[in-house]
Amino acid sequence: MQIIKWTSLMLIFLLVTLLGNIIAKKYKNRVKQLKEIKVILNMIETKIKFTQQPLTEIFKEIVSTEKKNRSVNIIFKEASQNIENKSFEQAWSEAIAKTKEKLDLSEEDINIIEGMGKTLGTTDIEGQVKEIEIVKEFIDSQIEKAEEERKKNEKMYKMLGGIAGIGIVIILT
């Protein structure tokens, strides 16, 4: 009977600690995803400037050639599928709405990225490049904020998970 009790307590401790680590990882993932978006925006900007390809081709190319392990690729993949039969703004908004739950981005991050869809594809090349540059500046500030939050909260949630696990074990014994 004691073995079952101690095994259950150890399992509870491990699960609560794991929960703390999962929450902490979201802060790390947010920074990573913002940086990934910035890299892809740089690619889009370069392609618009120098190849002057339409957005549909740029997005298809990014989805097919970009690293498959980037978590933000799901936005661009979804948008490239939607862009065939919808305006860019509509395709982009739907892609963001459909994929935002799968990402660890904040609501403010999502709003910045979604706002890009309102002007991208509707202006000339120079206007699109300026819009991407503005979005990249916003993303830079979001990366700084996300780094600060990560530094502040990542360690705290890991520790909190462990402490809460110990607390629950003590209460149950």
Side-chain angles (χ1 to χ4, degrees), residues 90-122:
Q90 236 182 345
W92 188 247
S93 287
E94 287 179 16
I96 300 263
K98 190 170 183 182
T99 59
K100 70 181 177 182
E101 298 301 320
K102 298 175 186 169
L103 300 172
D104 292 315
L105 300 175
S106 71
E107 197 62 39
E108 190 177 1
D109 301 336
I110 296 291
N111 290 338
I112 290 168
I113 296 164
E114 190 172 16
M116 180 180 70
K118 292 183 174 118
T119 55
L120 204 61
T122 59

CSV table of all heavy atoms in Angstrom, one decimal, residues 90-122:
chain,number,residue,atom,x,y,z
A,90,GLN,N,-8.0,39.3,-46.8
A,90,GLN,CA,-8.9,38.2,-46.3
A,90,GLN,C,-8.1,36.9,-46.0
A,90,GLN,O,-8.3,36.3,-45.0
A,90,GLN,CB,-10.0,38.0,-47.4
A,90,GLN,CG,-11.4,38.1,-46.9
A,90,GLN,CD,-12.3,37.7,-48.1
A,90,GLN,OE1,-11.9,37.6,-49.3
A,90,GLN,NE2,-13.5,37.5,-47.7
A,91,ALA,N,-7.3,36.6,-46.9
A,91,ALA,CA,-6.5,35.3,-46.8
A,91,ALA,C,-5.6,35.4,-45.6
A,91,ALA,O,-5.5,34.4,-44.8
A,91,ALA,CB,-5.7,35.1,-48.0
A,92,TRP,N,-5.0,36.6,-45.4
A,92,TRP,CA,-4.1,36.7,-44.2
A,92,TRP,C,-4.8,36.7,-42.9
A,92,TRP,O,-4.4,36.1,-42.0
A,92,TRP,CB,-3.3,38.1,-44.4
A,92,TRP,CG,-2.2,38.3,-43.4
A,92,TRP,CD1,-2.2,39.3,-42.5
A,92,TRP,CD2,-1.0,37.6,-43.3
A,92,TRP,NE1,-1.0,39.2,-41.7
A,92,TRP,CE2,-0.3,38.1,-42.2
A,92,TRP,CE3,-0.5,36.5,-43.9
A,92,TRP,CZ2,0.9,37.7,-41.8
A,92,TRP,CZ3,0.8,36.0,-43.5
A,92,TRP,CH2,1.5,36.6,-42.4
A,93,SER,N,-6.0,37.4,-42.8
A,93,SER,CA,-6.8,37.5,-41.6
A,93,SER,C,-7.3,36.1,-41.3
A,93,SER,O,-7.2,35.7,-40.1
A,93,SER,CB,-7.9,38.4,-41.8
A,93,SER,OG,-7.5,39.7,-41.8
A,94,GLU,N,-7.8,35.4,-42.2
A,94,GLU,CA,-8.2,34.0,-42.0
A,94,GLU,C,-7.1,33.1,-41.5
A,94,GLU,O,-7.3,32.2,-40.6
A,94,GLU,CB,-8.9,33.4,-43.2
A,94,GLU,CG,-10.3,34.1,-43.5
A,94,GLU,CD,-11.0,33.5,-44.7
A,94,GLU,OE1,-10.5,32.5,-45.2
A,94,GLU,OE2,-11.9,34.2,-45.2
A,95,ALA,N,-5.9,33.2,-42.1
A,95,ALA,CA,-4.8,32.4,-41.7
A,95,ALA,C,-4.4,32.7,-40.3
A,95,ALA,O,-4.1,31.7,-39.5
A,95,ALA,CB,-3.6,32.7,-42.7
A,96,ILE,N,-4.4,33.9,-39.9
A,96,ILE,CA,-4.0,34.3,-38.5
A,96,ILE,C,-5.1,33.8,-37.6
A,96,ILE,O,-4.7,33.2,-36.5
A,96,ILE,CB,-3.9,35.9,-38.4
A,96,ILE,CG1,-2.9,36.4,-39.3
A,96,ILE,CG2,-3.7,36.3,-37.0
A,96,ILE,CD1,-1.5,36.7,-38.8
A,97,ALA,N,-6.3,34.0,-37.9
A,97,ALA,CA,-7.4,33.5,-37.0
A,97,ALA,C,-7.4,32.0,-36.8
A,97,ALA,O,-7.6,31.5,-35.7
A,97,ALA,CB,-8.8,34.0,-37.6
A,98,LYS,N,-7.1,31.3,-37.9
A,98,LYS,CA,-7.1,29.8,-37.8
A,98,LYS,C,-5.9,29.3,-37.1
A,98,LYS,O,-6.0,28.2,-36.5
A,98,LYS,CB,-7.1,29.3,-39.2
A,98,LYS,CG,-7.4,27.8,-39.3
A,98,LYS,CD,-7.6,27.3,-40.7
A,98,LYS,CE,-7.9,25.9,-40.8
A,98,LYS,NZ,-8.1,25.4,-42.2
A,99,THR,N,-4.7,30.0,-37.1
A,99,THR,CA,-3.5,29.5,-36.5
A,99,THR,C,-3.1,30.1,-35.2
A,99,THR,O,-2.2,29.5,-34.6
A,99,THR,CB,-2.4,29.6,-37.6
A,99,THR,OG1,-2.2,31.0,-37.9
A,99,THR,CG2,-2.6,28.8,-38.8
A,100,LYS,N,-3.7,31.2,-34.8
A,100,LYS,CA,-3.2,31.9,-33.6
A,100,LYS,C,-3.2,31.0,-32.3
A,100,LYS,O,-2.4,31.2,-31.5
A,100,LYS,CB,-3.9,33.2,-33.4
A,100,LYS,CG,-5.3,33.2,-33.0
A,100,LYS,CD,-5.8,34.6,-32.9
A,100,LYS,CE,-7.3,34.6,-32.5
A,100,LYS,NZ,-7.8,35.9,-32.5
A,101,GLU,N,-4.1,30.1,-32.2
A,101,GLU,CA,-4.2,29.3,-31.1
A,101,GLU,C,-3.1,28.3,-31.0
A,101,GLU,O,-2.7,27.8,-29.9
A,101,GLU,CB,-5.5,28.5,-31.0
A,101,GLU,CG,-6.8,29.4,-30.9
A,101,GLU,CD,-6.8,30.3,-29.7
A,101,GLU,OE1,-6.4,29.8,-28.6
A,101,GLU,OE2,-7.1,31.5,-29.8
A,102,LYS,N,-2.4,28.0,-32.1
A,102,LYS,CA,-1.3,27.0,-32.2
A,102,LYS,C,0.0,27.7,-31.8
A,102,LYS,O,1.0,27.0,-31.7
A,102,LYS,CB,-1.3,26.4,-33.5
A,102,LYS,CG,-2.5,25.6,-33.9
A,102,LYS,CD,-2.5,25.1,-35.3
A,102,LYS,CE,-3.8,24.4,-35.6
A,102,LYS,NZ,-3.9,24.1,-37.1
A,103,LEU,N,0.0,29.0,-31.7
A,103,LEU,CA,1.3,29.7,-31.5
A,103,LEU,C,1.3,30.3,-30.1
A,103,LEU,O,0.2,30.4,-29.4
A,103,LEU,CB,1.4,30.9,-32.5
A,103,LEU,CG,1.4,30.4,-34.0
A,103,LEU,CD1,1.4,31.6,-34.9
A,103,LEU,CD2,2.7,29.6,-34.2
A,104,ASP,N,2.4,30.7,-29.6
A,104,ASP,CA,2.6,31.2,-28.3
A,104,ASP,C,2.7,32.7,-28.3
A,104,ASP,O,3.3,33.3,-27.4
A,104,ASP,CB,3.8,30.6,-27.6
A,104,ASP,CG,3.6,29.1,-27.3
A,104,ASP,OD1,2.5,28.8,-26.8
A,104,ASP,OD2,4.5,28.3,-27.5
A,105,LEU,N,2.1,33.4,-29.3
A,105,LEU,CA,2.2,34.8,-29.4
A,105,LEU,C,1.2,35.5,-28.6
A,105,LEU,O,0.1,34.9,-28.4
A,105,LEU,CB,2.0,35.2,-30.9
A,105,LEU,CG,3.1,34.6,-31.9
A,105,LEU,CD1,2.7,35.0,-33.3
A,105,LEU,CD2,4.5,35.1,-31.5
A,106,SER,N,1.5,36.7,-28.1
A,106,SER,CA,0.5,37.5,-27.4
A,106,SER,C,-0.5,38.1,-28.3
A,106,SER,O,-0.3,38.1,-29.5
A,106,SER,CB,1.2,38.6,-26.6
A,106,SER,OG,1.6,39.6,-27.4
A,107,GLU,N,-1.6,38.6,-27.8
A,107,GLU,CA,-2.7,39.2,-28.6
A,107,GLU,C,-2.1,40.5,-29.3
A,107,GLU,O,-2.4,40.7,-30.4
A,107,GLU,CB,-3.8,39.6,-27.7
A,107,GLU,CG,-5.1,39.9,-28.4
A,107,GLU,CD,-5.6,38.7,-29.2
A,107,GLU,OE1,-5.6,37.6,-28.7
A,107,GLU,OE2,-6.1,38.9,-30.3
A,108,GLU,N,-1.2,41.2,-28.6
A,108,GLU,CA,-0.6,42.3,-29.2
A,108,GLU,C,0.3,41.9,-30.4
A,108,GLU,O,0.3,42.6,-31.5
A,108,GLU,CB,0.3,43.1,-28.2
A,108,GLU,CG,0.8,44.4,-28.6
A,108,GLU,CD,1.6,45.1,-27.5
A,108,GLU,OE1,1.7,44.6,-26.4
A,108,GLU,OE2,2.0,46.3,-27.8
A,109,ASP,N,1.0,40.8,-30.3
A,109,ASP,CA,1.8,40.3,-31.4
A,109,ASP,C,0.9,40.0,-32.6
A,109,ASP,O,1.2,40.3,-33.7
A,109,ASP,CB,2.6,39.0,-31.0
A,109,ASP,CG,3.5,39.2,-29.8
A,109,ASP,OD1,4.0,40.3,-29.6
A,109,ASP,OD2,3.8,38.2,-29.1
A,110,ILE,N,-0.2,39.3,-32.3
A,110,ILE,CA,-1.1,38.9,-33.4
A,110,ILE,C,-1.7,40.1,-34.1
A,110,ILE,O,-1.7,40.1,-35.3
A,110,ILE,CB,-2.2,38.0,-32.8
A,110,ILE,CG1,-1.7,36.7,-32.2
A,110,ILE,CG2,-3.3,37.8,-33.8
A,110,ILE,CD1,-1.2,35.7,-33.2
A,111,ASN,N,-2.0,41.1,-33.3
A,111,ASN,CA,-2.6,42.3,-33.9
A,111,ASN,C,-1.6,43.0,-34.8
A,111,ASN,O,-2.0,43.5,-35.9
A,111,ASN,CB,-3.1,43.3,-32.8
A,111,ASN,CG,-4.3,42.8,-32.1
A,111,ASN,OD1,-5.0,42.0,-32.6
A,111,ASN,ND2,-4.5,43.3,-30.9
A,112,ILE,N,-0.3,43.1,-34.4
A,112,ILE,CA,0.7,43.7,-35.3
A,112,ILE,C,0.9,42.9,-36.6
A,112,ILE,O,0.9,43.5,-37.7
A,112,ILE,CB,2.0,43.7,-34.5
A,112,ILE,CG1,2.0,44.8,-33.4
A,112,ILE,CG2,3.2,44.1,-35.5
A,112,ILE,CD1,3.1,44.7,-32.4
A,113,ILE,N,0.9,41.6,-36.5
A,113,ILE,CA,1.1,40.8,-37.7
A,113,ILE,C,-0.1,40.8,-38.6
A,113,ILE,O,0.0,40.9,-39.8
A,113,ILE,CB,1.5,39.3,-37.2
A,113,ILE,CG1,2.8,39.3,-36.5
A,113,ILE,CG2,1.5,38.4,-38.4
A,113,ILE,CD1,3.0,38.0,-35.7
A,114,GLU,N,-1.3,40.8,-37.9
A,114,GLU,CA,-2.5,40.8,-38.7
A,114,GLU,C,-2.7,42.2,-39.4
A,114,GLU,O,-3.2,42.2,-40.6
A,114,GLU,CB,-3.7,40.6,-37.8
A,114,GLU,CG,-5.0,40.3,-38.6
A,114,GLU,CD,-6.1,39.9,-37.7
A,114,GLU,OE1,-6.0,40.0,-36.4
A,114,GLU,OE2,-7.1,39.4,-38.2
A,115,GLY,N,-2.2,43.3,-38.8
A,115,GLY,CA,-2.3,44.6,-39.4
A,115,GLY,C,-1.6,44.7,-40.7
A,115,GLY,O,-1.9,45.5,-41.6
A,116,MET,N,-0.5,43.9,-40.9
A,116,MET,CA,0.2,44.0,-42.1
A,116,MET,C,-0.6,43.6,-43.3
A,116,MET,O,-0.4,44.1,-44.4
A,116,MET,CB,1.4,43.0,-42.0
A,116,MET,CG,2.3,42.9,-43.2
A,116,MET,SD,3.7,41.8,-43.0
A,116,MET,CE,2.8,40.2,-43.0
A,117,GLY,N,-1.6,42.7,-43.1
A,117,GLY,CA,-2.4,42.2,-44.2
A,117,GLY,C,-3.3,43.3,-44.8
A,117,GLY,O,-3.8,43.2,-46.0
A,118,LYS,N,-3.5,44.4,-44.1
A,118,LYS,CA,-4.4,45.4,-44.6
A,118,LYS,C,-3.8,46.2,-45.7
A,118,LYS,O,-4.5,46.7,-46.6
A,118,LYS,CB,-4.8,46.4,-43.5
A,118,LYS,CG,-5.7,45.7,-42.5
A,118,LYS,CD,-6.2,46.6,-41.4
A,118,LYS,CE,-7.2,45.8,-40.5
A,118,LYS,NZ,-6.8,45.6,-39.2
A,119,THR,N,-2.5,46.4,-45.7
A,119,THR,CA,-1.8,47.2,-46.8
A,119,THR,C,-1.0,46.4,-47.7
A,119,THR,O,-0.7,46.8,-48.9
A,119,THR,CB,-1.0,48.3,-46.2
A,119,THR,OG1,0.0,47.7,-45.3
A,119,THR,CG2,-1.8,49.3,-45.5
A,120,LEU,N,-0.5,45.2,-47.3
A,120,LEU,CA,0.4,44.4,-48.1
A,120,LEU,C,-0.4,43.9,-49.3
A,120,LEU,O,-1.5,43.3,-49.1
A,120,LEU,CB,1.0,43.2,-47.3
A,120,LEU,CG,2.3,42.7,-47.8
A,120,LEU,CD1,3.4,43.7,-47.9
A,120,LEU,CD2,2.7,41.5,-47.0
A,121,GLY,N,0.1,44.0,-50.5
A,121,GLY,CA,-0.6,43.6,-51.7
A,121,GLY,C,-1.6,44.6,-52.3
A,121,GLY,O,-2.1,44.4,-53.3
A,122,THR,N,-1.8,45.7,-51.6
A,122,THR,CA,-2.7,46.7,-52.1
A,122,THR,C,-2.0,48.0,-52.6
A,122,THR,O,-2.6,48.8,-53.2
A,122,THR,CB,-3.7,47.2,-51.0
A,122,THR,OG1,-3.1,47.7,-49.9
A,122,THR,CG2,-4.6,46.0,-50.6
